[in-house]
Amino acid sequence: PYVIVCNHQASLDLMGMVEVIPDRCVPLAKKELKYMGTVGWACWLSGIIFIDRRRREDAINVISQTARTMRRENVR
């Protein structure tokens, strides 16, 4: 398992990153993208994991749970 960290500057950059990331890789995105109309629907349907950056502990829990799942199932 591995993690790719990208610092995108705009919400639409995420759509471009989907083209270059390896197969079976699931990106994390800020929760606000979920509510951006068509972009939000596309992100949600593609399986992106949303992080609530305003609630630090919730974000840490989501990331920790994702890391545990990656290790347990040996997925990327």
Side-chain angles (χ1 to χ4, degrees), residues 5-75:
V5 178
C6 301
N7 184 15
H8 56 92
Q9 297 298 314
S11 59
L12 294 177
D13 291 348
L14 186 60
M15 304 308 276
M17 288 189 313
V18 171
E19 291 296 320
V20 297
I21 60 175
D23 292 337
R24 297 179 54 199
C25 185
V26 179
L28 302 173
K30 59 185 176 181
K31 183 180 169 187
E32 293 81 11
L33 287 180
K34 189 189 306 187
Y35 307 109
M36 291 190 65
T38 307
V39 173
W41 276 98
C43 291
W44 180 71
L45 289 172
S46 64
I48 290 177
I49 298 172
F50 295 99
I51 303 293
D52 188 356
R53 299 185 309 167
R54 293 183 183 163
R55 295 184 178 164
R56 184 176 186 269
E57 295 201 9
D58 289 345
I60 291 171
N61 287 336
V62 170
I63 293 170
S64 296
Q65 181 180 358
T66 303
R68 281 193 298 274
T69 301
M70 288 173 67
R71 277 185 258 142
R72 182 180 63 242
E73 297 180 13
N74 195 26
V75 295

